[in-house]
Each structure stands twice: as structure tokens, then as C-alpha cells.
Amino acid sequence: MDPDRYVQALIFAASAHGGQHTPHGLPYLTHVCSVAAEIVAALQAEPGRDEDLAVSCALLHDVVEDTDATLGQLEVAFGAAVAAGVSALTKDVSLDKPLQMLDSLDRIAAQPPEIAMVKLADRIINLGPPPPRWSESKRLRYRNEADRILDRLGHASPHLARRLRGRIAAYPPDPV
Ligand code: NI
């Protein structure tokens, strides 16, 4: 992995997400870096991937969905493969809400496996402690969604599939 590329993507994500916070009130970059940490561990467990593609997309996976950053900017800064990966990881808000995730999963499945790895890593991190205001039915829905992600994309990384399966089984985790 090229550390200069990592830092470039981190700085792009930091300036795009600006003052955004996670549902737990932490700077949004903690989410992004947590997803990247899952990816780095998976790349060590399963060598032979395009490490820069996986790590760049991990750090940038939410910038188009959640900020003013555009796919065009990503393509200029990081190349077409990263822009295409982030595009697949971005929900199409012109579709009805229930279709948005299935459509994104279809588009991720058509990308290189590194992009599916980012989606698996994102859901592993998001299956930490749920935000306190989430109702039981919302938590259940979220866990069912994770089952669908695992079914559809788990083949891309046995390591991440195993971790996601563990998180699903333990969700919601006991409060700390
Ligand atoms: Ni995310």
C-alpha cells in the first residue's frame, strides 16, 4: 500500500466531511478510518488484492453520498477505478428507498472484489453499538440488511465475511 495515496485520500475525506459527526457524536472521520482499518487487516489476511484501490475506496466511500464532493473530482484526484468504486458504494436517491440498497449491491457486485470488501467492512463497523435513539424494529431491519449484504458480497472476502457473520450474530451488542 502506498502511504502517500492513503494520506491523500484521508485528507480529501477530511475536508469533504468537514464538521460532520457520527450518530455517536464523534468526528465522521472516525467512521472512515475504522472502515479502512478493517480493510488493512483483511488485506493482510488475504494478500493479492489491489491495496490502493481498496484503501482509497474505504477512506472515500461516503464522500459522494454524504458531502458535496463529486465523482468527477474523485476521478481527477484518484482515477477512474476509485471513482467507479465509490459510485457503486453510493445509493441512487432517485430510486424508491427500499430499492436503493439492492441497486447499490448489484452495482458493487459488478465491480472488482475490493469494492465489495469496502461494503462488508462498512457494515462490520456499523454493527457496533447502535445509536441510542434507534428503535428495536430499526435495529432488526438493519441486521436483516446486513444479512443481505453478507449473502450477496461475502464471497469477495472470507475474512470479512467471517467478521460480519460474527457481528450479525452479536447484534445489537451488549451495552458497554
Ligand atoms: Ni460508511
Side-chain angles (χ1 to χ4, degrees), residues 110-143:
Q111 287 285 311
E114 288 82 357
I115 310 308
M117 291 173 73
V118 173
K119 186 66 187 178
L120 295 167
D122 184 42
R123 191 49 65 105
I124 290 166
I125 295 304
N126 285 342
L127 287 182
R133 62 174 191 283
W134 278 21
S135 66
E136 180 139 8
S137 65
K138 166 94 178 165
R139 292 174 187 190
L140 204 62
R141 224 172 26 246
Y142 204 63
R143 197 183 60 190

Side-chain angles (χ1 to χ4, degrees), residues 32-60:
V32 164
C33 289
S34 301
V35 174
E38 284 291 339
I39 289 293
V40 168
L43 292 170
Q44 276 171 356
E46 297 168 345
R49 314 285 190 167
D50 183 337
E51 298 187 350
D52 289 328
L53 175 62
V55 171
S56 302
C57 286
L59 293 167
L60 296 166

Side-chain angles (χ1 to χ4, degrees), residues 148-173:
R148 258 173 275 147
I149 293 169
L150 180 61
D151 282 350
R152 189 70 203 276
L153 304 176
H155 62 87
S157 167
H159 169 89
L160 290 169
R162 198 161 47 242
R163 283 187 58 77
L164 181 54
R165 208 172 292 119
R167 286 288 170 102
I168 291 170
Y171 189 80

Side-chain angles (χ1 to χ4, degrees), residues 5-111:
R5 170 48 66 102
Y6 183 105
V7 172
Q8 185 194 358
L10 181 63
I11 289 172
F12 188 103
S15 66
H17 287 293
Q20 289 176 350
H21 288 82
T22 71
H24 293 279
L26 295 168
Y28 199 79
L29 225 52
T30 57
H31 168 69
V32 164
C33 289
S34 301
V35 174
E38 284 291 339
I39 289 293
V40 168
L43 292 170
Q44 276 171 356
E46 297 168 345
R49 314 285 190 167
D50 183 337
E51 298 187 350
D52 289 328
L53 175 62
V55 171
S56 302
C57 286
L59 293 167
L60 296 166
H61 74 275
D62 280 330
V63 297
V64 174
E65 187 160 296
D66 293 342
T67 82
D68 292 335
T70 65
L71 292 173
Q73 289 168 341
L74 286 182
E75 183 161 355
V76 169
F78 301 101
V82 168
V86 173
S87 174
L89 291 159
T90 302
K91 292 197 189 81
D92 179 352
V93 291
S94 74
L95 298 173
D96 285 345
K97 193 125 195 192
L99 294 177
Q100 289 178 10
M101 198 191 65
L102 296 175
D103 164 71
S104 175
L105 291 182
D106 283 345
R107 290 183 289 117
I108 291 168
Q111 287 285 311

